[in-house]
Amino acid sequence: MDFSSGDVKAAIMRPAVAVGGGVAPALLQGWREFRRSAAPARFLCFQDGGWVDVAGEAVGQLRRAFQGGRALAEAACGGRAYLFDFLRMVRIDAVTGEEAPLGWIDDRGACFFPAPDCAGAAGGRKRRRDDAPAEDEAESSSGVDERSGESSGAADAAAAAAKRRKAGAAAPLEESDKYYQVVSKLFLSYGMAARGAAITAIRKVSGGARVRAFQQQGQHLSAARGATAGTAKFAWYGASAEDVAAVVDRGFARTNATRLGTRKHGDGLHLSPPQCPFSSATLAKADGNGETHIVLCRVLMGRPEVVTAGSSQSRPSSDDYDSAVDKLENPQWYVVWSKDMNTRVLPEYVVSFKCPKPQPIQGSSEATSKPKKPSPVGRDMFPKLLAEIELLVPDKCDLLQQCYSSFKMGQIKKDQFIRFLRNYIGDKVLTTVARKLRGC
């Protein structure tokens, strides 16, 4: 799969409406958000590339209308009259009909912001009341101004689109590049090298409006939850090659929860911590060239709650939470809900790799057999060894036990497990533990 081409839209696409959807489900979702919100403390509108507070007497007017259960309110800002639509989360200019995304933070600190779309919050472009895209949007999406019904200028638009495609959605990095080296080490140091993974390419995903939307979300979470809640974490995203390409080109359109089956922690986007690339790699699917691709992202978790495996939860259980984890201490999965995945997850690097299956020993009569389970004698030494290691490096015990379980089940060989131990723990710790067990 070639990530070096593709028409990269500057905006983040809104997730697709479910089958049978349309205006009614969107309004129903807006109504639910409207009903569960407490009285807004701040109103914000997206303009000139950023979220700006609504100021002046309009704040009090909008707050009173909101508390009175009114879905629409009129107010003047900066000498201009506007209609504020709380259900659709837009501010409409009473003269021009131009719309701008509207959000608010309520008295309890809960944030209510629309998912960005290609002509709204993410790109800062405005949409007319009749929902026809602005000229620059139409050009970037199709190369033709469909509103005019004319084909004049199509060649110029196509040339401009080709130029954007040539710039690429994800630029390949040279192996000598410092970012290539950092990402490569992060990917290989936590078990992937031990599993035989070999990196074929690392690409930097273009930012643009995604970065601005992500930064704004970080500011909102910091304002609502405290500085820590707005601090980004690194995390891995794994999915099919087609879904990874779509994320690079347009943003997230669906979650990867279905690939986990009964092990999913809700119907949200699942990402694994930076020290657990293998967890996300298991959700990935190779392309026609035998390459597998996972994405290193930054993610804003805000205040997470624990969601048990097998849950079908699809949104925070209350306004006190923003996201989910499988457990609070050393989580193995970060879960971002669908409505937030294009504003709170920022794809940064695509790691392409090949991970061949263990090859049988040449000349063996059992060349097609699976790796045999290690004998009890061969693995008796490891429980005591791992117990001592976990005393020295307790933060690494989860992945350590996970890999050991794979070894016990015969999924990886003994030499592969030992290589993983050396790469993950380090020879210094292993030497210390070995001396202790020998009584030195």
Side-chain angles (χ1 to χ4, degrees):
M1 177 173 52
D2 184 8
F3 288 98
S4 62
S5 64
D7 186 7
V8 186
K9 300 198 172 43
I12 304 171
M13 304 297 290
R14 184 185 297 275
V17 177
V19 176
V23 176
L27 287 177
L28 181 60
Q29 178 65 23
W31 174 252
R32 288 170 178 163
E33 295 290 288
F34 177 61
R35 291 295 299 272
R36 77 183 184 91
S37 173
R42 294 169 58 190
F43 290 95
L44 304 97
C45 288
F46 196 92
Q47 57 189 53
D48 300 325
W51 288 96
V52 179
D53 277 277
V54 175
E57 295 181 359
V59 178
Q61 296 172 0
L62 296 177
R63 182 180 170 91
R64 287 190 293 272
F66 197 103
Q67 289 177 301
R70 292 163 52 193
L72 297 171
E74 297 180 14
C77 301
R80 299 179 70 91
Y82 295 100
L83 179 65
F84 292 81
D85 186 335
F86 301 129
L87 296 190
R88 293 175 55 225
M89 289 188 172
V90 292
R91 183 195 68 184
I92 306 170
D93 191 303
V95 176
T96 66
E98 292 179 339
E99 296 182 358
L102 170 70
W104 63 86
I105 301 174
D106 70 14
D107 289 336
R108 295 173 296 186
C111 299
F112 296 84
F113 290 90
D117 62 14
C118 57
R125 294 190 290 270
K126 300 176 181 178
R127 188 181 289 279
R128 298 280 180 177
R129 193 162 14 205
D130 59 4
D131 283 342
E135 289 185 13
D136 57 345
E137 179 192 354
E139 182 182 21
S140 67
S141 60
S142 66
V144 180
D145 187 349
E146 297 177 352
R147 290 171 299 153
S148 66
E150 300 175 356
S151 60
S152 61
D156 292 340
K163 185 176 181 180
R164 286 191 297 273
R165 285 195 293 271
K166 187 175 180 181
L173 300 179
E174 298 291 337
E175 292 188 21
S176 58
D177 188 287
K178 65 177 181 179
Y179 295 109
Y180 182 106
Q181 296 172 4
V182 170
V183 175
S184 173
K185 183 176 181 180
L186 183 64
F187 177 75
L188 295 174
S189 296
Y190 293 101
M192 294 306 295
R195 290 178 168 88
I199 294 176
T200 55
I202 296 178
R203 297 174 174 86
K204 179 73 173 73
V205 181
S206 59
R210 304 186 202 212
V211 177
R212 293 193 295 273
F214 185 81
Q215 291 172 341
Q216 290 291 336
Q217 280 294 309
Q219 294 171 8
H220 297 324
L221 287 171
S222 294
R225 307 287 195 199
T228 303
T231 302
K233 303 175 181 288
F234 279 108
W236 298 100
Y237 164 76
S240 67
E242 294 78 11
D243 281 353
V244 170
V247 167
V248 169
D249 195 29
R250 300 182 298 276
F252 296 95
R254 59 183 177 182
T255 75
N256 56 357
T258 56
R259 299 189 70 83
L260 278 164
T262 58
R263 296 181 293 121
K264 67 178 183 178
H265 295 268
D267 292 325
L269 193 74
H270 284 60
L271 305 103
S272 59
Q275 70 272 19
C276 300
F278 178 70
S279 297
S280 287
T282 61
L283 306 185
K285 182 180 179 182
D287 60 17
N289 297 322
E291 283 186 311
T292 306
H293 316 272
I294 66 173
V295 187
L296 182 62
C297 308
R298 280 190 289 160
V299 57
L300 294 165
M301 294 298 290
R303 183 183 296 162
E305 62 180 311
V306 175
V307 173
T308 58
S311 171
S312 59
Q313 182 175 331
S314 61
R315 58 187 298 166
S317 61
S318 74
D319 293 336
D320 294 329
Y321 301 108
D322 306 294
S323 60
V325 291
D326 58 332
K327 54 185 178 180
L328 292 177
E329 294 295 330
N330 297 318
Q332 299 300 299
W333 288 113
Y334 300 145
V335 182
V336 177
W337 305 119
S338 298
K339 68 184 184 68
D340 300 317
M341 59 188 183
N342 276 319
T343 54
R344 295 182 182 173
V345 182
L346 179 66
E348 294 222 298
Y349 298 93
V350 177
V351 177
S352 302
F353 65 97
K354 291 186 176 182
C355 192
K357 296 180 179 179
Q359 296 297 318
I361 300 174
Q362 294 297 324
S364 170
S365 60
E366 300 179 358
T368 59
S369 64
K370 294 181 180 180
K372 296 181 179 180
K373 293 184 179 181
S375 66
V377 175
R379 63 175 182 255
D380 277 348
M381 55 175 280
F382 287 112
K384 185 179 292 187
L385 179 69
L386 298 183
E388 293 294 335
I389 290 174
E390 290 173 7
L391 291 176
L392 296 176
V393 283
D395 58 316
K396 296 186 176 183
C397 63
D398 288 329
L399 185 57
L400 197 59
Q401 287 295 344
Q402 179 183 342
C403 192
Y404 178 54
S405 296
S406 298
F407 165 62
K408 287 194 299 181
M409 295 171 63
Q411 295 174 348
I412 62 174
K413 296 179 180 179
K414 181 178 178 180
D415 60 335
Q416 291 176 312
F417 179 59
I418 292 175
R419 283 202 304 272
F420 165 75
L421 276 178
R422 295 188 64 180
N423 289 330
Y424 187 50
I425 303 300
D427 288 338
K428 185 176 180 180
V429 173
L430 285 176
T431 300
T432 302
V433 171
R435 286 176 177 174
K436 182 177 180 180
L437 293 177
R438 289 198 303 263
C440 299

